[in-house]
Amino acid sequence: MRFKLKEQFLTDAKGHKQAVVIDLDSYRELMEDVSDLRVIAERKNNSKYSSTSFFLKLKKNGIL
């Protein structure tokens, strides 16, 4: 997580945490991170390139 999460907790009458509230900017960043992780998980078994050949191709093209 690359941001400081500012959360507030909603509690019941006994003080037990029941829910959490976060500010809209934190929510958006959190959802972006979740989306990125979903894409990574979906591509995990993509065997088109090995990581070594992928990085070599990036270096060859001057990207790295």
Side-chain angles (χ1 to χ4, degrees):
M1 205 177 302
R2 59 184 183 272
F3 60 93
K4 177 81 171 133
L5 189 62
K6 302 169 194 165
E7 73 266 350
Q8 297 177 354
F9 296 97
L10 302 178
T11 59
D12 63 14
K14 294 182 180 181
H16 298 111
K17 293 177 183 176
Q18 298 296 310
V20 65
V21 177
I22 60 174
D23 64 90
L24 191 55
D25 288 336
S26 293
Y27 172 78
R28 287 180 177 142
E29 289 189 47
L30 186 60
M31 289 298 100
E32 184 178 329
D33 288 348
V34 168
S35 177
D36 291 346
L37 290 170
R38 181 185 51 78
V39 170
I40 290 167
E42 288 173 354
R43 295 179 181 175
K44 181 179 178 181
N45 295 321
N46 185 345
S47 61
K48 186 172 182 180
Y49 295 108
S50 70
S51 59
T52 302
S53 63
F54 175 75
F55 285 114
L56 288 173
K57 188 173 185 175
L58 289 176
K59 286 181 182 180
K60 180 180 176 184
N61 291 318
I63 296 171
L64 289 179

